[in-house]
Amino acid sequence: ADDLWMARYLLQRVAEVFMVNVTFMPKPVHDWAGIGGHTNYSTTSTRNPGGWDVIMKHCERLKARHLEHMEAYGSDNELRLVGNDETQSFNRFSYGVGDRSASIRIPVKAAARKCGYYEDRRPAANMDPYLVTRMIVETTLFYDENGNPIPEQSKGKGKVEKGLREDVSKDGH
């Protein structure tokens, strides 16, 4: 997230030098494809054996809280997510292997290996990367497939707390 904020800053400063305008609006030109802030995500559990089942569980959890995510994924994003130009509609959720028109795209390699990462294609270019990261982590680790908080995980006790510590420490963050 820090890198994205810095990259945006640097892009704007360089654009000033060349007297070029920069926009992060999701759909700056009506008939063109919009500008997304696609976000790749994985945990230790998705990258290891058995990861495919975890990815599927994550997708179902993301589906259950789709509209809450859309509220946090950038302003005017409904202008970009209209169901064409390799996007899913703003109010619909889907996931699929190699499907660039899905809300969540699972890479072909991840499907073949039955583990790996996936890409949330819903965030707009003007999204707050900290908020998007928070929403994805919160939903995939602390909510169930019906969009309800998981009590033992929400309290930070037991297996999930250990799993979260493992995911965080193994990822180096």
Side-chain angles (χ1 to χ4, degrees), residues 69-133:
H69 280 250
M70 297 314 295
E71 291 174 12
Y73 276 13
S75 61
D76 298 321
N77 203 14
E78 68 280 358
L79 301 175
R80 178 179 73 90
L81 298 176
V82 296
N84 56 20
D85 294 322
E86 296 185 336
T87 68
Q88 179 55 276
S89 295
F90 184 87
N91 292 315
R92 291 192 59 212
F93 180 90
S94 64
Y95 57 92
V97 174
D99 186 353
R100 295 174 55 86
S101 66
S103 307
I104 302 293
R105 182 186 67 83
I106 304 164
V108 173
K109 278 188 178 180
R113 294 177 180 162
K114 298 292 184 199
C115 62
Y117 74 95
Y118 52 90
E119 172 190 27
D120 191 338
R121 299 175 57 81
R122 300 173 295 169
N126 63 2
M127 58 87 161
D128 178 339
Y130 298 104
L131 185 54
V132 169
T133 302

Side-chain angles (χ1 to χ4, degrees), residues 22-88:
V22 173
T23 183
F24 301 109
M25 291 175 49
K27 190 79 166 180
V29 180
H30 175 68
D31 290 333
W32 292 6
I35 307 168
H38 302 178
T39 303
N40 293 343
Y41 179 70
S42 69
T43 65
T44 302
S45 299
T46 66
R47 292 189 305 271
N48 286 322
W52 182 256
D53 292 336
V54 178
I55 290 171
M56 292 297 103
K57 188 179 288 189
H58 284 189
C59 288
E60 288 299 320
R61 290 174 177 182
L62 290 163
K63 179 180 182 179
R65 296 190 71 212
H66 172 66
L67 293 179
E68 292 171 72
H69 280 250
M70 297 314 295
E71 291 174 12
Y73 276 13
S75 61
D76 298 321
N77 203 14
E78 68 280 358
L79 301 175
R80 178 179 73 90
L81 298 176
V82 296
N84 56 20
D85 294 322
E86 296 185 336
T87 68
Q88 179 55 276

